[in-house]
Amino acid sequence: MMEKTMPIDGLFQLQPLPYAPDALAPAISTETLGFHHGKHLLTYVNNLNALLPGSGFEGKPLEQIVCESEGAMRNNAGQILNHNLYFAQFRAPRQENRPTGRLAEAIDAAFGSFDAFKDTFAKQGAGLFGSGWVWLSANEDGGLVITQEANAANPMQRGLRPLLTFDVWEHAYYLDYQNRRADHLAALWSLIDWDTVAQRLEA
Ligand code: MN
């Protein structure tokens, strides 16, 4: 089972970044990271905490709220879970950055090669209409799939195990890339911490 995200004293917390605010530049600038994590994600956390009292979901894990609630509660909980997975999957950029081991084998089995996977994933992200997320997930058989999820949706809602995601809401890239979503997505590959992604497959 995946790790559960629990509230502390009844409140969900802003998950701290596991790197310095300038660690992802220039692919994700310090300014974008500051707004995205410190303002957008914080707002989702505050919104969900305000909706919890009397909802029946007090003290429940975030993942359960994402899968079982509706409306504003599901949207805010989904955005917290999505962003927690998103921010935790990065670290400072590296050249020659690619998965290894069982994750690499599973990507090859599902998509033919790592380059073919990257091409499909980036196209699904660039082609998603409106706001949302593109995901790599594992199904119940351990096979890998790519899905587009609109707005705040998470693959857990359809029984998948989320491994990797690109945020294609404009707030994720507009300060640095304006309308050039595909260029932003292409720059993200050097930032992926494939060890973190692989751990999600094994957890
Ligand atoms: Mn976002």
Side-chain angles (χ1 to χ4, degrees), residues 36 83 133 167 169 171:
H36 199 180
H83 284 94
W133 304 74
D167 184 348
W169 284 60
H171 67 224

Side-chain angles (χ1 to χ4, degrees), residues 39-83:
K39 296 192 185 295
H40 287 277
L41 176 53
L42 180 62
T43 298
Y44 297 127
V45 172
N46 290 337
N47 288 348
L48 179 61
N49 285 332
L51 290 166
L52 281 173
S55 67
F57 287 101
E58 302 94 328
K60 303 296 187 190
L62 181 65
E63 292 77 6
Q64 181 181 345
I65 298 172
V66 169
C67 290
E68 297 181 8
S69 69
E70 297 180 345
M73 174 159 275
R74 179 169 60 184
N75 285 337
N76 283 284
Q79 284 293 74
I80 299 169
L81 179 58
N82 294 354
H83 284 94

